[in-house]
């Protein structure tokens, strides 16, 4: 099963991807995590990405696609994957489609978690305290939400036009939201 998880920062994509990974036994691939690992390791790519990430803006399409391609080529991704944080704009939608067509592994479903903005701001403030992420400061959160509305929101329309989008309520207990996601998954071929 190849799943794209969509939703604003703080909508619960990471948490739900973690739960789904255990349930479906496929890897959770987060481009944010891949980038944070590169920053932490101090690779040239990480050094380039750091300032952009700290400002709440999008790292270049080329850098993120290269990282993603490398990750998707690893053997564990052959069984499927949960993609979290990618695609982030329409150019990335096209790039992903091309890449997955080449690998013969098209997206099965895009799941969009919808959470009201006030709740998102509250959740991200909580996460800033718990995880000490530099990009969870109030100012950067505002910028990330602006970037989301401007560049990432149209991604849902891309999958809707392909008849692959499921829009889900992301408010509620973690397990409740997980159940909504599981019910929205296409039935797997026996
Ligand atoms: P996330 O953990 O998904 O919220 O991502 C954290 C930050 O990493 C974002 O604010 C961006 O700066 C960067 N990032 C993650 N995924 C992408 C992507 N697909 N394209 C560009 N930048 C990304």
């Amino acid at each position: 099963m190849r799943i794209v998880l969509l939703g604003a920062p703080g909508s619960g994509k990471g948490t739900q991807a973690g739960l789904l990974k255990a349930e479906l036994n496929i890897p959770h691939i987060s481009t944010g995590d891949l980038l944070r690992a590169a920053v932490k390791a101090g690779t040239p790519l990480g050094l380039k990405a750091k300032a952009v990430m700290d400002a709440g803006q999008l790292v270049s399409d080329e850098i993120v696609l290269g990282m993603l391609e490398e990750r998707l080529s690893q053997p564990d991704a052959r069984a499927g994957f949960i993609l979290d944080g990618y695609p982030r704009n329409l150019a990335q939608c096209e790039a992903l489609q091309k890449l997955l067509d080449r690998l013969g592994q098209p997206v099965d479903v895009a799941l969009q978690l919808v959470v009201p903005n006030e709740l998102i701001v509250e959740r991200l403030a909580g996460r800033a305290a718990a995880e000490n992420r530099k990009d969870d400061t109030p100012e950067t959160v505002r910028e990330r939400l602006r970037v989301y509305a401007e560049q990432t929101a149209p991604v849902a329309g891309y999958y809707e036009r392909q008849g692959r989008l499921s829009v889900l309520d992301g408010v509620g207990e973690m397990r409740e939201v997980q159940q909504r996601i599981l019910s929205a998954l296409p039935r797997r071929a026996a």
Side-chain angles (χ1 to χ4, degrees):
M1 177 85 63
R2 291 169 298 268
I3 301 170
V4 167
L5 264 188
L6 302 175
S11 60
K13 296 190 301 294
T15 306
Q16 291 302 329
L19 293 174
L20 272 183
K21 169 188 163 159
E23 186 75 30
L24 303 175
N25 208 16
I26 49 179
H28 165 204
I29 301 181
S30 152
T31 46
D33 285 350
L34 292 175
L35 285 164
R36 279 184 288 277
V39 170
K40 202 166 168 199
T43 64
L45 186 153
L47 292 175
K48 250 191 191 170
K50 186 177 185 319
V52 181
M53 292 172 74
D54 286 351
Q57 282 153 13
L58 294 186
V59 176
S60 87
D61 288 347
E62 199 189 339
I63 288 186
V64 184
L65 181 64
M67 273 182 24
L68 182 66
E69 185 161 7
E70 193 181 315
R71 179 63 188 88
L72 285 175
S73 313
Q74 288 169 23
D76 64 338
R78 265 183 234 144
F81 48 79
I82 304 145
L83 204 49
D84 158 14
Y86 195 99
R88 251 344 200 255
N89 58 30
L90 290 175
Q92 293 187 5
C93 291
E94 303 281 354
L96 180 66
Q97 179 141 357
K98 266 196 200 138
L99 171 60
L100 294 181
D101 281 351
R102 186 149 46 81
L103 297 173
Q105 299 200 322
V107 168
D108 293 306
V109 64
L111 302 168
Q112 183 182 27
L113 294 178
V114 178
V115 174
N117 252 7
E118 313 84 75
L119 190 55
I120 288 210
V121 171
E122 206 175 285
R123 282 187 185 177
L124 289 176
R127 190 169 81 181
E131 293 180 17
N132 197 23
R133 265 178 63 165
K134 275 226 174 78
D135 60 351
D136 277 344
T137 60
E139 199 179 305
T140 315
V141 163
R142 265 196 301 279
E143 177 62 7
R144 287 165 64 209
L145 291 175
R146 191 193 64 74
V147 169
Y148 178 80
E150 185 184 288
Q151 302 193 46
T152 311
V155 167
Y158 180 88
Y159 289 107
E160 188 178 24
R161 286 190 289 283
Q162 298 188 347
R164 291 191 196 156
L165 179 71
S166 264
V167 180
L168 303 172
D169 180 6
V171 181
E173 286 293 314
M174 203 165 81
R175 293 283 169 193
E176 229 178 287
V177 177
Q178 188 195 16
Q179 278 313 315
R180 286 179 208 142
I181 292 181
L182 290 174
S183 322
L185 293 180
R187 292 210 153 195
R188 274 177 288 179

